[in-house]
Amino acid sequence: MYEKKLIVVGLPMIAVTYGLSRFSYGLMLPYINETMNMAQSTSGVISSLSYIAYCIAIVLAMVFSNRISSKSILVIAGLTSIIGLGIISISFNPGVLSLGIFLAGLSTGFSSPPYANIVDLNVETRLQNQTNSWINSGTSIGTAFTGAVAILMTDSWRETYFVFMLIAIIVLIANYKVLPKNQPLKENVMVSFSKEEWRRATPLILSALLLGISCSAYWTFSRDFMFQIENVPSYLGEWLWVIIGAAGLSGGTAGVFVNKYGLMPAYRISVLALSTSSLLLGTVAEYLIVGWLSPALFGSSYIFMTGVLIVWGISVYKSNPSFGLGVPFLILALGQAIGSILSGVVADLWGYDDLFTGASIIGYVALVFKQKNK
């Protein structure tokens, strides 16, 4: 039964650190730009700071997983989220905004690996894949919630981030009370990879990198693009994040799907859907049905894809679940950091149509990779 308690507190923490602290920037960008009037390239660079912070934090979380308890790392995740969101809520220029985005981004990297360790130690093996997948689906809850709050509070983006900060405080307190206090640390964890692990991890790393580059355009600029399309009603831009988040709930079934049909079928389906969501936006965005179909595809496939990467990573690093989750998520975030910067440049030079079409092509290339067995 402990897996249910973990989901009850883990899912909201992921919702806060991913949905509210990290991906909310793309949602709020149109409103922030009204205040700060930033160029698209500047917006892309600021977005990349969140992913860079994520990379730094997830490396630290993996390296210190044998020295600091998972609960303590999650407390750090909660605190960096609270501080980052608070700074964003009072930011008055791109410099202060960048600091808040960076600190909030740290929380995302600190939050994921510890849950993999806690699940490994407290949940029976047959339930671990689906428990990890459901906790991971917190991203979709956070995304949908972010979208709903933004609609209710219109363009009051500073007040919105203040509300997010208060929610982060509540979620941190809940995790502190529910998570196990005295978990054994793995004393002999090696922060290195054997040749066999490198061989088996290579396709995982390459696919995560390409998928990170591919989806970064959607997370950063899709909503801004929707508001600029004349034939698309404005309510679709307003509800975009809600559609993405609501559709993402289906991504929580990744673990169950993998257990029943296998890892590679799940991977291919998620990559095809994820890439197609960007292709639709880049080629036929003026059609109303695309305004619904594209974000629905993106939300469901992104959460599903990250769930698949968790299962794939843990299958490679069986002795250290935090590495199994951390490595693909680290590379995914690295790709997103690179992609955010490139997306801003491409959008400035060639426009959103070419940006999303190019992003989809990069995603389709990731289909060439497959799991290497022993």
Side-chain angles (χ1 to χ4, degrees), residues 189-223:
V189 174
M190 295 295 292
V191 187
S192 61
F193 309 129
S194 67
K195 289 183 178 180
E196 175 62 21
E197 286 174 327
W198 266 117
R199 185 187 72 84
R200 296 181 64 207
T202 299
L204 170 64
I205 289 170
L206 292 175
S207 62
L209 180 65
L210 288 179
L211 292 171
I213 294 172
S214 174
C215 70
S216 62
Y218 212 105
W219 281 121
T220 306
F221 292 112
S222 59
R223 191 166 186 264

Side-chain angles (χ1 to χ4, degrees), residues 44-348:
V45 169
I46 293 176
S47 177
S48 74
L49 292 176
S50 174
Y51 299 114
I52 293 169
Y54 176 90
C55 292
I56 294 170
I58 204 166
V59 168
L60 291 174
M62 290 188 293
V63 169
F64 290 99
S65 63
N66 62 325
R67 304 177 192 177
I68 303 175
S69 70
S70 296
K71 183 173 183 177
S72 297
I73 295 175
L74 284 168
V75 169
I76 295 172
L79 290 174
T80 53
S81 174
I82 292 166
I83 296 170
L85 292 170
I87 290 175
I88 295 171
S89 73
I90 61 171
S91 62
F92 53 88
N93 62 38
V96 177
L97 176 66
S98 298
L99 176 62
I101 293 293
F102 181 83
L103 289 174
L106 288 174
S107 71
T108 320
F110 284 130
S111 63
S112 290
Y115 282 119
N117 275 337
I118 293 173
V119 169
D120 181 57
L121 291 171
N122 296 278
V123 177
E124 56 182 297
T125 303
R126 69 181 181 87
L127 297 174
Q128 287 180 5
N129 281 349
Q130 60 198 71
T131 302
N132 280 319
S133 293
W134 278 115
I135 291 174
N136 178 62
S137 70
T139 301
S140 63
I141 299 288
T143 302
F145 180 79
T146 300
V149 171
I151 292 170
L152 291 173
M153 300 185 70
T154 60
D155 58 350
S156 303
W157 63 270
R158 290 191 178 90
E159 291 82 356
T160 299
Y161 274 108
F162 182 77
V163 172
F164 290 167
M165 182 190 70
L166 296 179
I167 293 170
I169 292 172
I170 295 170
V171 170
L172 174 58
I173 293 172
N175 272 264
Y176 186 80
K177 290 185 175 181
V178 172
L179 293 178
K181 294 181 180 178
N182 300 313
Q183 292 282 279
L185 298 175
K186 296 185 177 182
E187 297 180 358
N188 297 316
V189 174
M190 295 295 292
V191 187
S192 61
F193 309 129
S194 67
K195 289 183 178 180
E196 175 62 21
E197 286 174 327
W198 266 117
R199 185 187 72 84
R200 296 181 64 207
T202 299
L204 170 64
I205 289 170
L206 292 175
S207 62
L209 180 65
L210 288 179
L211 292 171
I213 294 172
S214 174
C215 70
S216 62
Y218 212 105
W219 281 121
T220 306
F221 292 112
S222 59
R223 191 166 186 264
D224 196 39
F225 181 37
M226 291 291 281
F227 278 125
Q228 295 184 21
I229 304 172
E230 293 182 1
N231 296 337
V232 174
S234 60
Y235 70 80
L236 271 178
E238 294 170 353
W239 284 87
L240 187 72
W241 246 231
V242 178
I243 298 170
I244 290 173
L249 290 174
S250 64
T253 62
V256 176
F257 190 97
V258 170
N259 288 341
K260 188 172 183 179
Y261 299 106
L263 180 64
M264 283 299 97
Y267 172 75
R268 293 188 184 100
I269 289 171
S270 65
V271 172
L272 279 170
L274 186 71
S275 303
T276 301
S277 68
S278 290
L279 181 63
L280 290 172
L281 210 55
T283 56
V284 288
E286 67 274 11
Y287 293 99
L288 180 61
I289 185 64
V290 172
W292 290 95
L293 180 60
S294 176
L297 272 177
F298 182 82
S300 57
S301 59
Y302 182 84
I303 302 302
F304 195 93
M305 177 270 291
T306 54
V308 170
L309 292 182
I310 290 173
V311 177
W312 191 350
I314 290 175
S315 74
V316 172
Y317 302 101
K318 293 181 180 178
S319 63
N320 190 345
S322 69
F323 266 63
L325 186 151
V327 169
F329 273 34
L330 168 64
I331 303 302
L332 183 71
L334 179 62
Q336 289 171 327
I338 296 169
S340 292
I341 296 173
L342 292 177
S343 294
V345 173
V346 172
D348 269 340

